[in-house]
Amino acid sequence: IDADALSSIPKPLRAEVRQHWEDFPSREALEVHRQDILRVWAASPFAAKTCIRNPHLLPELFESGDLKRSYSAAEIAERVHQAVESAHSENVFKRCLRELRRREWLRIAWRDLSGQAELDETLSELSQLAEHCVDCALDWCYRDLRHTFGTPYSRAGEEQRLIVVGMGKL
């Protein structure tokens, strides 16, 4: 990577960003987006490391156009549901949820750091993603526990659901 490519990156960050680019397996396929990638990675080591560890993510996000648009709450809910709907075991469910979360965190962070999303949009999408992931995990646990132990009922005979009590930074 030449000095010109790094000229928009603050000097103290150039060596780290250069190393991230060299470590990125998909760099040749995304050369056309190099400047944008370097700027986002300069602002977020998380984004750089996520891309390096998951080299399929960034090309897929560019190709899908998802880096250029926001999602509605309904679309986020649908994406969470689709990500886990075919999970046949707890381990597969957890893996699917982690993969979706990783992809969406990268997409949301990218849009924020590249100036394509306002703060309100970023915070809203992060909150919606967290809410739908928690709801989906709660539903999974309830179905699994119900299958193992049966349906829980209150003393009054009403079916009981699991709940999440969120405190602090849920």
Side-chain angles (χ1 to χ4, degrees):
I1 190 169
D2 60 19
D4 248 10
L6 294 169
S7 63
S8 66
I9 307 299
K11 286 182 182 179
L13 301 175
R14 289 179 184 172
E16 183 179 13
V17 171
R18 175 184 283 122
Q19 188 61 54
H20 289 322
W21 182 254
E22 290 172 9
D23 293 342
F24 184 46
S26 300
R27 69 180 173 274
E28 291 171 10
L30 295 178
E31 180 67 31
V32 67
H33 300 289
R34 181 179 64 188
Q35 284 306 116
D36 293 333
I37 294 169
L38 296 179
R39 275 195 284 303
V40 169
W41 287 0
S44 175
F46 159 78
K49 290 173 185 171
T50 297
C51 292
I52 292 165
R53 290 181 187 140
N54 305 275
H56 66 284
L57 276 182
L58 198 52
E60 190 275 324
L61 284 165
F62 273 113
E63 187 173 311
S64 69
D66 287 347
L67 293 175
K68 300 275 186 200
R69 65 185 197 85
S70 62
Y71 291 170
S72 69
E75 188 172 6
I76 292 171
E78 180 62 24
R79 286 179 174 273
V80 172
H81 175 72
Q82 286 178 351
V84 298
E85 70 184 347
S86 63
H88 57 278
S89 71
E90 183 178 351
N91 287 337
V92 172
F93 173 82
K94 288 177 181 179
R95 181 180 46 79
C96 292
L97 205 54
R98 280 191 308 271
E99 288 172 0
L100 172 79
R101 183 192 64 202
R102 187 178 305 118
R103 180 193 190 276
E104 294 309 315
W105 277 356
L106 179 61
R107 183 188 65 79
I108 293 167
W110 187 280
R111 290 183 45 72
D112 179 45
L113 296 170
S114 65
Q116 296 180 52
E118 296 292 325
L119 180 61
D120 287 346
E121 176 187 314
T122 299
L123 296 176
S124 176
E125 286 196 15
L126 285 171
S127 294
Q128 290 293 323
L129 179 63
E131 180 180 333
H132 293 297
C133 285
V134 168
D135 286 347
C136 194
L138 188 63
D139 288 345
W140 173 269
C141 291
Y142 181 75
R143 283 192 309 273
D144 185 55
L145 290 170
R146 203 167 116 197
H147 176 74
T148 304
F149 299 106
T151 302
Y153 293 96
S154 71
R155 291 180 189 198
E158 298 167 331
E159 183 176 339
Q160 298 294 289
R161 298 281 302 172
L162 294 173
I163 62 167
V164 173
V165 176
M167 301 176 76
K169 295 186 178 186
L170 176 66

